[in-house]
Coordinates of all heavy atoms in Angstrom, one line a residue:
M136 N 27.5 71.0 68.2 CA 27.4 72.3 67.7 C 26.0 72.9 68.1 O 25.0 72.2 68.1 CB 27.5 72.2 66.2 CG 27.2 73.5 65.5 SD 27.7 73.7 63.8 CE 29.5 74.0 64.1
L137 N 26.1 74.1 68.5 CA 24.8 74.8 68.9 C 24.0 75.2 67.7 O 24.5 75.6 66.7 CB 25.2 76.1 69.7 CG 26.0 75.9 71.0 CD1 26.3 77.3 71.6 CD2 25.3 75.0 71.9
S138 N 22.7 75.1 67.8 CA 21.8 75.5 66.8 C 21.7 77.0 66.7 O 22.1 77.7 67.6 CB 20.4 75.0 67.0 OG 19.8 75.6 68.2
H139 N 21.3 77.5 65.6 CA 21.1 79.0 65.4 C 20.1 79.5 66.4 O 20.3 80.6 67.0 CB 20.6 79.2 64.0 CG 20.3 80.7 63.7 ND1 21.3 81.6 63.6 CD2 19.2 81.4 63.6 CE1 20.8 82.8 63.4 NE2 19.5 82.7 63.4
T140 N 19.1 78.7 66.7 CA 18.1 79.1 67.7 C 18.7 79.3 69.1 O 18.5 80.3 69.8 CB 17.0 78.1 67.8 OG1 16.4 77.9 66.5 CG2 15.9 78.5 68.8
C141 N 19.6 78.4 69.5 CA 20.3 78.4 70.7 C 21.2 79.7 70.8 O 21.2 80.4 71.8 CB 21.1 77.2 71.0 SG 21.8 77.1 72.6
K142 N 21.9 79.9 69.7 CA 22.8 81.1 69.7 C 22.0 82.4 69.8 O 22.4 83.3 70.5 CB 23.6 81.1 68.4 CG 24.6 80.1 68.3 CD 25.3 80.1 66.9 CE 26.2 78.9 66.7 NZ 26.8 78.8 65.4
T143 N 20.8 82.4 69.2 CA 19.9 83.6 69.4 C 19.4 83.7 70.8 O 19.4 84.8 71.4 CB 18.7 83.4 68.4 OG1 19.1 83.3 67.1 CG2 17.7 84.6 68.5
A144 N 19.1 82.6 71.5 CA 18.7 82.7 72.9 C 19.8 83.2 73.8 O 19.6 84.0 74.7 CB 18.3 81.3 73.4
I145 N 21.1 82.8 73.5 CA 22.2 83.2 74.3 C 22.4 84.7 74.1 O 22.6 85.5 75.1 CB 23.5 82.4 73.9 CG1 23.4 81.0 74.4 CG2 24.7 83.1 74.5 CD1 24.4 80.1 73.8
K146 N 22.3 85.2 72.9 CA 22.4 86.6 72.6 C 21.3 87.4 73.4 O 21.6 88.5 73.9 CB 22.3 86.9 71.1 CG 23.4 86.5 70.3 CD 23.1 86.8 68.8 CE 24.1 86.2 67.9 NZ 23.7 86.5 66.5
A147 N 20.1 86.9 73.4 CA 19.0 87.6 74.1 C 19.3 87.7 75.6 O 19.1 88.7 76.2 CB 17.7 86.8 73.8
V148 N 19.7 86.6 76.2 CA 20.0 86.6 77.6 C 21.2 87.5 77.9 O 21.1 88.2 78.9 CB 20.3 85.1 78.1 CG1 20.7 85.2 79.6 CG2 19.0 84.3 78.0
I149 N 22.2 87.5 77.1 CA 23.3 88.4 77.3 C 22.8 89.9 77.3 O 23.2 90.7 78.1 CB 24.5 88.2 76.3 CG1 25.1 86.8 76.7 CG2 25.5 89.3 76.4 CD1 26.1 86.3 75.6
Y150 N 22.0 90.2 76.3 CA 21.4 91.5 76.2 C 20.6 91.9 77.5 O 20.8 93.0 78.1 CB 20.6 91.7 75.0 CG 20.1 93.1 74.8 CD1 20.9 94.2 74.8 CD2 18.7 93.3 74.8 CE1 20.4 95.5 74.7 CE2 18.2 94.6 74.8 CZ 19.1 95.7 74.7 OH 18.6 97.0 74.6
I151 N 19.8 91.0 77.9 CA 18.9 91.2 79.1 C 19.8 91.4 80.3 O 19.6 92.3 81.1 CB 17.9 90.1 79.3 CG1 16.9 90.1 78.1 CG2 17.2 90.2 80.6 CD1 16.0 88.8 78.1
A152 N 20.9 90.6 80.4 CA 21.8 90.7 81.5 C 22.6 92.0 81.5 O 22.9 92.5 82.6 CB 22.8 89.5 81.5
S153 N 22.8 92.5 80.3 CA 23.6 93.8 80.2 C 22.8 95.0 80.8 O 23.3 96.0 81.1 CB 23.9 94.1 78.8 OG 22.8 94.6 78.1
K154 N 21.5 94.8 81.0 CA 20.6 95.8 81.6 C 20.4 95.6 83.1 O 19.5 96.3 83.7 CB 19.3 95.9 80.8 CG 19.4 96.1 79.4 CD 20.0 97.5 79.1 CE 20.1 97.8 77.6 NZ 20.7 99.1 77.4
F155 N 21.1 94.6 83.7 CA 20.8 94.3 85.1 C 21.1 95.5 86.0 O 20.3 95.8 86.9 CB 21.8 93.1 85.5 CG 21.7 92.8 87.0 CD1 20.7 92.2 87.5 CD2 22.8 93.2 87.8 CE1 20.6 91.9 88.9 CE2 22.8 93.0 89.2 CZ 21.7 92.3 89.7
E156 N 22.2 96.2 85.9 CA 22.5 97.3 86.7 C 21.5 98.4 86.7 O 21.1 99.0 87.7 CB 23.9 97.9 86.4 CG 25.1 96.9 86.7 CD 25.3 96.7 88.2 OE1 25.1 97.7 89.0 OE2 25.7 95.6 88.5
S157 N 21.0 98.7 85.5 CA 20.0 99.8 85.4 C 18.6 99.4 85.7 O 17.7 100.2 85.7 CB 20.1 100.3 83.9 OG 19.6 99.4 83.0
K158 N 18.4 98.1 85.9 CA 17.1 97.5 86.3 C 16.0 97.7 85.2 O 14.8 97.7 85.4 CB 16.5 98.1 87.6 CG 17.5 98.0 88.7 CD 17.2 96.8 89.6 CE 18.0 96.8 90.9 NZ 18.9 95.7 90.9
E159 N 16.5 97.9 83.9 CA 15.6 98.1 82.8 C 14.9 96.7 82.5 O 15.5 95.7 82.6 CB 16.4 98.5 81.6 CG 16.8 100.0 81.6 CD 17.5 100.4 80.4 OE1 16.9 100.3 79.3 OE2 18.7 100.7 80.5
R160 N 13.7 96.8 82.0 CA 13.0 95.7 81.5 C 12.9 95.8 80.0 O 12.5 96.9 79.5 CB 11.6 95.6 82.1 CG 11.8 95.3 83.6 CD 10.4 95.1 84.3 NE 10.7 94.8 85.7 CZ 9.7 94.6 86.5 NH1 8.4 94.6 86.1 NH2 10.0 94.3 87.8
M161 N 13.2 94.8 79.2 CA 13.3 94.9 77.8 C 12.0 94.2 77.1 O 11.5 93.2 77.6 CB 14.5 94.1 77.3 CG 15.7 94.2 78.1 SD 16.7 95.8 78.1 CE 15.7 97.1 77.7
S162 N 11.6 94.8 76.1 CA 10.5 94.3 75.3 C 11.0 93.3 74.3 O 12.2 93.3 73.9 CB 9.7 95.4 74.6 OG 10.5 95.9 73.5
I163 N 10.1 92.4 73.8 CA 10.5 91.5 72.7 C 11.0 92.2 71.5 O 12.0 91.9 70.9 CB 9.3 90.6 72.4 CG1 8.9 89.6 73.5 CG2 9.6 89.8 71.1 CD1 7.6 88.9 73.3
K164 N 10.3 93.3 71.2 CA 10.6 94.1 70.0 C 12.1 94.6 70.1 O 12.9 94.5 69.2 CB 9.6 95.2 69.8 CG 9.9 96.0 68.5 CD 8.8 97.1 68.3 CE 9.1 97.8 67.1 NZ 8.0 98.7 66.7
E165 N 12.4 95.2 71.3 CA 13.7 95.8 71.5 C 14.8 94.7 71.4 O 15.8 94.9 70.8 CB 13.7 96.5 72.9 CG 15.0 97.2 73.2 CD 15.0 97.9 74.5 OE1 14.0 97.8 75.2 OE2 16.1 98.5 74.8
I166 N 14.5 93.6 72.1 CA 15.5 92.5 72.0 C 15.7 92.0 70.6 O 16.9 91.8 70.2 CB 15.1 91.4 73.0 CG1 15.1 91.9 74.4 CG2 16.0 90.2 72.9 CD1 14.4 91.0 75.4
A167 N 14.6 91.8 69.9 CA 14.7 91.2 68.5 C 15.5 92.2 67.6 O 16.3 91.7 66.8 CB 13.3 91.0 68.0
E168 N 15.2 93.5 67.8 CA 15.9 94.5 66.9 C 17.4 94.4 67.2 O 18.2 94.5 66.3 CB 15.4 95.9 67.1 CG 14.0 96.1 66.5 CD 13.4 97.4 66.8 OE1 14.1 98.3 67.4 OE2 12.3 97.7 66.4
L169 N 17.8 94.4 68.5 CA 19.2 94.5 68.9 C 20.0 93.2 68.4 O 21.1 93.4 67.9 CB 19.4 94.7 70.4 CG 20.8 94.8 70.7 CD1 21.2 96.3 70.6 CD2 21.2 94.2 72.0
I170 N 19.4 92.1 68.5 CA 20.1 90.9 68.2 C 19.8 90.4 66.7 O 20.2 89.3 66.3 CB 19.8 89.7 69.2 CG1 18.4 89.2 69.2 CG2 20.3 90.1 70.6 CD1 18.1 88.0 70.0
D171 N 19.1 91.2 66.0 CA 18.8 91.0 64.6 C 18.1 89.6 64.4 O 18.5 88.8 63.6 CB 20.0 91.1 63.8 CG 19.7 91.2 62.3 OD1 18.7 91.7 61.9 OD2 20.6 90.8 61.5
A172 N 17.0 89.4 65.1 CA 16.2 88.2 65.0 C 14.7 88.6 64.9 O 14.3 89.7 65.2 CB 16.4 87.3 66.2
S173 N 13.9 87.7 64.4 CA 12.5 88.0 64.3 C 11.8 88.0 65.6 O 12.2 87.3 66.6 CB 11.8 86.9 63.4 OG 11.5 85.7 64.1
E174 N 10.8 88.9 65.8 CA 10.1 89.0 67.0 C 9.4 87.7 67.4 O 9.4 87.3 68.6 CB 9.0 90.1 66.9 CG 9.6 91.5 67.0 CD 8.5 92.6 67.0 OE1 7.5 92.4 67.7 OE2 8.7 93.5 66.2
H175 N 8.9 87.0 66.4 CA 8.3 85.7 66.7 C 9.2 84.7 67.3 O 8.9 84.1 68.3 CB 7.7 85.1 65.4 CG 7.0 83.8 65.5 ND1 5.8 83.6 66.1 CD2 7.5 82.6 65.2 CE1 5.5 82.3 66.1 NE2 6.5 81.7 65.6
T176 N 10.4 84.6 66.7 CA 11.4 83.7 67.3 C 11.8 84.1 68.7 O 11.9 83.2 69.6 CB 12.6 83.6 66.3 OG1 12.2 83.2 65.0 CG2 13.7 82.7 66.9
V177 N 12.1 85.3 68.8 CA 12.5 85.8 70.1 C 11.4 85.6 71.2 O 11.7 85.2 72.3 CB 13.0 87.3 70.1 CG1 13.2 87.9 71.4 CG2 14.2 87.5 69.2
G178 N 10.2 85.9 70.8 CA 9.1 85.7 71.7 C 9.0 84.2 72.2 O 8.8 84.0 73.4
K179 N 9.1 83.3 71.3 CA 9.1 81.9 71.6 C 10.3 81.5 72.6 O 10.1 80.8 73.5 CB 9.1 81.0 70.4 CG 7.9 81.1 69.5 CD 7.0 80.0 69.9 CE 5.8 80.0 68.9 NZ 4.8 79.1 69.3
L180 N 11.5 82.0 72.2 CA 12.6 81.7 73.0 C 12.5 82.2 74.4 O 12.8 81.5 75.4 CB 13.9 82.2 72.4 CG 14.3 81.5 71.1 CD1 15.5 82.3 70.4 CD2 14.7 80.1 71.3
L181 N 12.1 83.5 74.5 CA 11.9 84.1 75.9 C 10.9 83.4 76.7 O 11.1 83.2 77.9 CB 11.6 85.6 75.7 CG 12.7 86.4 75.1 CD1 12.2 87.9 74.9 CD2 14.0 86.4 75.8
Q182 N 9.9 82.9 76.1 CA 8.8 82.1 76.8 C 9.5 80.8 77.4 O 9.2 80.5 78.6 CB 7.7 81.7 75.8 CG 6.5 81.1 76.4 CD 5.4 80.9 75.3 OE1 5.8 80.5 74.2 NE2 4.2 81.1 75.7
I183 N 10.3 80.2 76.7 CA 11.0 79.0 77.2 C 11.9 79.3 78.3 O 12.0 78.7 79.3 CB 11.8 78.3 76.0 CG1 10.8 77.7 75.0 CG2 12.7 77.2 76.6 CD1 11.5 77.3 73.7
L184 N 12.7 80.4 78.1 CA 13.7 80.8 79.1 C 13.0 81.3 80.4 O 13.5 81.0 81.5 CB 14.6 82.0 78.6 CG 15.4 81.5 77.4 CD1 16.1 82.8 76.8 CD2 16.5 80.5 77.8
V185 N 11.8 81.9 80.3 CA 11.1 82.2 81.6 C 10.6 80.9 82.2 O 10.7 80.8 83.5 CB 9.9 83.1 81.2 CG1 8.9 83.3 82.4 CG2 10.4 84.5 80.8
K186 N 10.1 80.0 81.5 CA 9.6 78.8 82.0 C 10.7 78.0 82.7 O 10.5 77.4 83.8 CB 9.0 77.9 80.9 CG 8.4 76.6 81.4 CD 7.9 75.8 80.2 CE 7.4 74.4 80.7 NZ 7.2 73.5 79.6
E187 N 11.9 78.1 82.2 CA 13.1 77.4 82.8 C 13.7 78.2 83.9 O 14.8 77.9 84.4 CB 14.1 77.0 81.7 CG 13.6 76.0 80.7 CD 13.3 74.7 81.3 OE1 14.0 74.2 82.2 OE2 12.3 74.0 80.9
Q188 N 13.2 79.4 84.2 CA 13.6 80.3 85.2 C 15.1 80.8 85.0 O 15.8 81.1 85.9 CB 13.5 79.6 86.6 CG 12.1 79.3 87.0 CD 12.0 78.6 88.3 OE1 13.0 78.1 88.9 NE2 10.8 78.6 88.8
I189 N 15.4 81.0 83.7 CA 16.7 81.6 83.3 C 16.5 83.1 83.3 O 17.5 83.8 83.6 CB 17.1 81.0 82.0 CG1 17.4 79.5 82.2 CG2 18.4 81.7 81.5 CD1 17.6 78.7 80.9
I190 N 15.3 83.6 82.9 CA 15.0 85.0 83.0 C 13.6 85.2 83.6 O 13.0 84.2 83.8 CB 15.1 85.7 81.6 CG1 14.0 85.0 80.7 CG2 16.5 85.7 81.0 CD1 13.8 85.7 79.3
N191 N 13.2 86.4 83.8 CA 11.9 86.7 84.4 C 11.2 87.6 83.4 O 11.8 88.3 82.6 CB 12.0 87.5 85.7 CG 12.8 86.7 86.8 OD1 12.4 85.6 87.1 ND2 13.8 87.2 87.3
S192 N 9.8 87.6 83.6 CA 9.0 88.6 82.8 C 8.0 89.2 83.7 O 7.6 88.6 84.8 CB 8.3 87.9 81.7 OG 7.4 86.9 82.1
A193 N 7.6 90.4 83.4 CA 6.5 91.1 84.1 C 5.5 91.7 83.1 O 6.0 92.1 82.0 CB 7.1 92.2 85.0
K194 N 4.3 91.6 83.4 CA 3.2 92.1 82.5 C 2.9 93.5 82.8 O 3.2 94.0 83.9 CB 2.0 91.2 82.5 CG 2.2 89.8 82.0 CD 1.0 89.0 82.1 CE 1.3 87.6 81.6 NZ 0.1 86.8 81.6
G195 N 2.2 94.2 81.9 CA 1.8 95.5 82.2 C 2.6 96.6 81.5 O 3.6 96.3 80.8
P196 N 2.2 97.9 81.8 CA 2.8 99.0 81.1 C 4.3 99.1 81.4 O 5.1 99.6 80.6 CB 2.1 100.2 81.6 CG 0.9 99.7 82.4 CD 1.1 98.3 82.6
T197 N 4.7 98.7 82.6 CA 6.2 98.8 83.0 C 6.8 97.4 82.9 O 7.9 97.2 83.5 CB 6.3 99.4 84.4 OG1 5.6 98.5 85.3 CG2 5.8 100.8 84.5
G198 N 6.1 96.5 82.2 CA 6.6 95.1 82.2 C 7.7 94.9 81.2 O 8.2 95.8 80.5
G199 N 8.1 93.7 81.0 CA 9.2 93.3 80.1 C 10.0 92.2 80.7 O 9.6 91.6 81.7
F200 N 11.1 91.9 80.0 CA 12.0 90.8 80.4 C 13.2 91.4 81.2 O 13.7 92.4 80.8 CB 12.4 90.0 79.2 CG 11.3 89.3 78.6 CD1 10.6 89.9 77.6 CD2 10.9 88.0 79.0 CE1 9.5 89.3 77.0 CE2 9.8 87.4 78.4 CZ 9.1 88.1 77.4
Y201 N 13.5 90.6 82.3 CA 14.7 91.1 83.1 C 15.3 89.9 83.8 O 14.8 88.8 83.7 CB 14.2 92.1 84.1 CG 13.2 91.6 85.1 CD1 13.6 91.2 86.4 CD2 11.8 91.4 84.8 CE1 12.7 90.6 87.3 CE2 10.9 90.9 85.7 CZ 11.4 90.5 87.0 OH 10.5 90.0 87.9
I202 N 16.4 90.1 84.4 CA 17.2 89.1 85.1 C 17.5 89.5 86.5 O 17.7 90.7 86.7 CB 18.4 88.8 84.2 CG1 19.1 87.4 84.6 CG2 19.4 89.9 84.3 CD1 20.0 86.9 83.5
D203 N 17.5 88.6 87.4 CA 17.8 88.9 88.8 C 19.3 88.5 89.1 O 19.9 87.9 88.3 CB 16.8 88.4 89.8 CG 16.8 86.9 89.9 OD1 17.8 86.2 89.6 OD2 15.7 86.3 90.2
E204 N 19.7 88.8 90.3 CA 21.1 88.5 90.6 C 21.4 87.1 90.6 O 22.5 86.7 90.1 CB 21.4 89.1 92.0 CG 22.9 89.1 92.3 CD 23.3 89.9 93.5 OE1 22.4 90.6 94.1 OE2 24.4 89.9 94.0
K205 N 20.5 86.2 91.1 CA 20.8 84.8 91.1 C 20.9 84.3 89.6 O 21.7 83.5 89.3 CB 19.6 84.1 91.8 CG 19.8 82.6 91.9 CD 18.6 82.0 92.7 CE 18.7 80.5 92.7 NZ 17.6 79.8 93.3
Q206 N 20.0 84.7 88.8 CA 20.0 84.3 87.4 C 21.2 84.8 86.7 O 21.7 84.1 85.7 CB 18.7 84.8 86.7 CG 17.5 84.1 87.2 CD 16.2 84.8 86.8 OE1 16.2 86.0 86.7 NE2 15.1 84.1 86.6
L207 N 21.7 85.9 87.1 CA 22.9 86.5 86.4 C 24.1 85.6 86.6 O 25.0 85.6 85.7 CB 23.2 87.9 87.1 CG 24.2 88.8 86.4 CD1 23.7 89.2 85.0 CD2 24.4 90.0 87.2
K208 N 24.1 84.8 87.6 CA 25.2 83.9 87.9 C 25.1 82.5 87.3 O 26.0 81.7 87.5 CB 25.4 83.8 89.4 CG 25.8 85.2 90.0 CD 25.9 85.1 91.5 CE 26.3 86.5 92.0 NZ 26.3 86.5 93.5
L209 N 24.0 82.3 86.6 CA 23.8 80.9 86.0 C 24.8 80.7 84.9 O 25.1 81.6 84.1 CB 22.3 80.8 85.5 CG 21.2 80.8 86.5 CD1 19.9 80.8 85.7 CD2 21.3 79.5 87.3
P210 N 25.2 79.5 84.7 CA 26.1 79.2 83.6 C 25.4 79.2 82.3 O 24.2 78.8 82.2 CB 26.7 77.8 83.9 CG 25.7 77.2 84.9 CD 25.1 78.4 85.6
I211 N 26.0 79.5 81.2 CA 25.4 79.5 79.9 C 24.9 78.1 79.5 O 23.9 78.0 78.7 CB 26.4 80.0 78.8 CG1 26.7 81.5 79.1 CG2 25.9 79.8 77.4 CD1 27.6 82.2 78.2
I212 N 25.5 77.1 80.0 CA 25.0 75.7 79.7 C 23.5 75.6 80.0 O 22.8 74.8 79.4 CB 25.9 74.6 80.4 CG1 25.6 73.3 79.7 CG2 25.6 74.6 81.9 CD1 26.1 73.1 78.3
K213 N 23.0 76.3 81.0 CA 21.6 76.3 81.3 C 20.7 76.7 80.1 O 19.7 76.1 79.9 CB 21.3 77.2 82.5 CG 21.8 76.7 83.8 CD 20.8 75.7 84.4 CE 21.2 75.6 85.9 NZ 20.3 74.7 86.6
I214 N 21.2 77.7 79.4 CA 20.5 78.2 78.2 C 20.6 77.1 77.1 O 19.6 76.8 76.5 CB 21.1 79.5 77.7 CG1 21.1 80.6 78.8 CG2 20.4 80.0 76.4 CD1 21.9 81.8 78.5
V215 N 21.7 76.6 77.0 CA 21.9 75.5 75.9 C 21.0 74.4 76.2 O 20.3 73.9 75.3 CB 23.4 75.1 75.9 CG1 23.6 73.9 74.9 CG2 24.3 76.2 75.5
Y216 N 21.0 73.9 77.5 CA 20.1 72.8 77.8 C 18.6 73.1 77.6 O 17.9 72.3 77.1 CB 20.3 72.3 79.2 CG 19.6 71.0 79.5 CD1 20.0 69.8 79.0 CD2 18.4 71.0 80.3 CE1 19.3 68.7 79.2 CE2 17.7 69.9 80.5 CZ 18.2 68.7 79.9 OH 17.4 67.5 80.1
A217 N 18.2 74.4 78.0 CA 16.8 74.8 77.8 C 16.4 74.8 76.4 O 15.2 74.4 76.0 CB 16.6 76.1 78.4
I218 N 17.3 75.2 75.5 CA 16.9 75.3 74.0 C 17.3 74.0 73.2 O 16.5 73.5 72.5 CB 17.6 76.6 73.4 CG1 17.2 77.8 74.2 CG2 17.2 76.7 71.9 CD1 15.8 78.1 74.3
D219 N 18.5 73.6 73.4 CA 19.0 72.5 72.5 C 19.2 71.2 73.4 O 19.6 70.2 72.8 CB 20.4 72.8 71.9 CG 20.2 73.7 70.7 OD1 19.1 73.8 70.2 OD2 21.3 74.1 70.2
G220 N 19.0 71.3 74.6 CA 19.4 70.2 75.6 C 19.1 68.8 75.2 O 19.9 67.9 75.1
K221 N 17.8 68.6 74.9 CA 17.4 67.2 74.6 C 18.1 66.7 73.3 O 18.5 65.5 73.3 CB 15.9 67.2 74.4 CG 15.2 67.5 75.7 CD 13.7 67.6 75.5 CE 13.0 67.9 76.8 NZ 12.7 69.3 77.0
K222 N 18.3 67.5 72.3 CA 19.0 67.1 71.1 C 20.5 66.8 71.4 O 21.0 65.8 71.0 CB 18.9 68.2 70.1 CG 17.6 68.6 69.6 CD 17.6 69.7 68.6 CE 16.4 70.5 68.7 NZ 16.5 71.8 68.1
I223 N 21.2 67.7 72.1 CA 22.6 67.6 72.3 C 22.9 66.5 73.3 O 23.7 65.6 73.0 CB 23.2 68.9 72.8 CG1 23.2 69.9 71.7 CG2 24.6 68.7 73.4 CD1 23.7 71.3 72.1
F224 N 22.2 66.4 74.4 CA 22.5 65.5 75.4 C 22.1 64.1 75.1 O 22.6 63.1 75.6 CB 22.0 66.0 76.8 CG 22.7 67.2 77.3 CD1 22.2 68.4 77.2 CD2 24.0 67.1 77.8 CE1 22.8 69.6 77.6 CE2 24.7 68.2 78.3 CZ 24.1 69.4 78.1
N225 N 21.1 63.9 74.2 CA 20.7 62.6 73.8 C 21.7 62.0 72.9 O 21.9 60.8 72.8 CB 19.3 62.6 73.1 CG 18.2 62.7 74.1 OD1 18.3 62.4 75.3 ND2 17.0 63.2 73.6
K226 N 22.5 62.8 72.2 CA 23.5 62.3 71.3 C 24.7 61.8 72.1 O 25.5 61.0 71.6 CB 24.0 63.5 70.3 CG 23.0 63.8 69.3 CD 23.5 64.9 68.4 CE 22.5 65.3 67.4 NZ 22.9 66.4 66.5
C227 N 24.9 62.2 73.3 CA 26.0 61.8 74.2 C 25.8 60.5 74.8 O 26.7 59.9 75.3 CB 26.2 62.9 75.3 SG 26.7 64.5 74.6
D228 N 24.5 60.0 74.8 CA 24.2 58.7 75.5 C 24.8 57.5 74.7 O 25.0 57.4 73.6 CB 22.7 58.5 75.6 CG 22.1 59.5 76.6 OD1 22.9 60.0 77.4 OD2 20.9 59.8 76.5

């Protein structure tokens, strides 16, 4: 079973991916409001997802979170592994 945190991360990535065509970059605040999660939680999750190269971030006035074409094609299991992976996959051993 996926954790609530992992489900939140999946929602965030889906929202970011939905803005791929328009090339919009999303702020933590905007993502948190849309998926009904705390900014703190979303910020931590997005930091992990950037580190795992599932999404990208850019700093500055035109910065934010975005996804590229290669990342758009990644399977959802990459998100699951990045957030819940160690917990879930260790149970399978």
Side-chain angles (χ1 to χ4, degrees):
M136 175 162 281
L137 299 177
S138 69
H139 177 72
T140 304
C141 187
K142 291 175 187 177
T143 301
I145 291 169
K146 288 178 192 178
V148 172
I149 289 171
Y150 179 61
I151 294 167
S153 75
K154 302 298 182 177
F155 172 76
E156 292 291 326
S157 65
K158 306 263 190 250
E159 287 181 62
R160 294 181 180 184
M161 321 287 23
S162 69
I163 292 172
K164 183 176 182 171
E165 183 179 0
I166 295 166
E168 285 176 6
L169 184 88
I170 65 173
D171 196 28
S173 79
E174 285 184 46
H175 177 76
T176 299
V177 171
K179 292 268 187 186
L180 291 172
L181 296 179
Q182 189 175 39
I183 293 167
L184 296 170
V185 168
K186 182 181 175 193
E187 296 295 323
Q188 299 179 343
I189 296 168
I190 62 172
N191 298 306
S192 68
K194 295 181 182 180
T197 59
F200 295 90
Y201 64 99
I202 197 164
D203 65 29
E204 191 169 352
K205 182 179 174 185
Q206 293 164 325
L207 193 62
K208 296 177 183 178
L209 290 174
I211 291 178
I212 194 70
K213 291 271 196 182
I214 303 166
V215 174
Y216 187 74
I218 305 301
D219 280 350
K221 294 176 180 94
K222 296 176 211 166
I223 289 177
F224 291 102
N225 286 339
K226 289 181 182 178
C227 296
D228 293 338

